[in-house]
Amino acid sequence: MTPTDITRAINDLLFTPDLDLAEALERHFAPDYRQRTNGEWSDRASFVQHMTRLRSLVRSGHIEVHEELRDGLRYADRHTVTITQHNGRTSRTEVYLFAQLAPDGRFQRVEETTLLVTGHPDDGNLGTVR
């Protein structure tokens, strides 16, 4: 299996609405996946709930990776996610991400810090993988 990256994961999760969420998750995230975003840990079940909610809000968007590093099963990047919601609001969030990949190349653990660059303060978590 080709190791995943944040661009393919975000595009499948948020910007390809015809792709089944379970299939997108299976492609990019190990069964024991967990994540810490801005200091708050969540497990895979919480992540699924968050992605389900985001999919109901997101009309369109894109991701821009500014830097990306890979060293064996370690992965890091800095990216910006731009999201337009069904209500017309647009937000841009910059994300600093460090990850551990499972041996099969899927994300096993992600730790990230986010910064809302533009948009409504309530939209601060829209651009995160969490």
Side-chain angles (χ1 to χ4, degrees):
M1 173 183 253
T2 303
T4 195
D5 59 50
I6 198 63
T7 300
R8 286 185 289 144
I10 293 287
N11 282 334
D12 282 356
L13 287 172
L14 294 180
F15 306 137
T16 310
D18 294 337
L19 178 63
D20 181 67
L21 179 58
E23 183 179 340
L25 290 163
E26 188 63 25
R27 281 183 190 176
H28 302 287
F29 300 91
D32 60 345
Y33 177 73
R34 63 191 195 113
Q35 179 170 330
R36 183 172 69 170
T37 302
N38 298 330
E40 183 178 323
W41 281 103
S42 59
D43 61 12
R44 188 179 170 116
S46 299
F47 179 70
V48 170
Q49 288 177 339
H50 183 65
M51 285 301 115
T52 300
R53 180 179 166 274
L54 286 183
R55 277 188 160 205
S56 74
L57 299 174
V58 173
R59 182 176 69 207
S60 63
H62 65 276
I63 180 170
E64 179 183 358
V65 175
H66 308 290
E67 284 121 3
E68 185 175 45
L69 305 167
R70 191 181 298 272
D71 182 20
L73 296 178
R74 293 180 182 192
Y75 175 90
D77 77 41
R78 182 176 67 86
H79 64 270
T80 301
V81 178
T82 302
I83 290 177
T84 301
Q85 297 178 60
H86 292 291
N87 66 12
R89 287 196 329 214
T90 298
S91 62
R92 289 183 63 235
T93 303
E94 187 171 0
V95 181
Y96 297 81
L97 180 147
F98 293 88
Q100 177 72 36
L101 300 174
D104 65 6
R106 295 183 291 174
F107 287 118
Q108 186 170 41
R109 186 188 80 242
V110 165
E111 297 187 43
E112 65 183 10
T113 299
T114 66
L115 172 67
L116 183 64
V117 177
T118 61
H120 191 278
D122 290 345
D123 299 338
N125 285 329
L126 291 177
T128 65
V129 177
R130 151 186 163 173

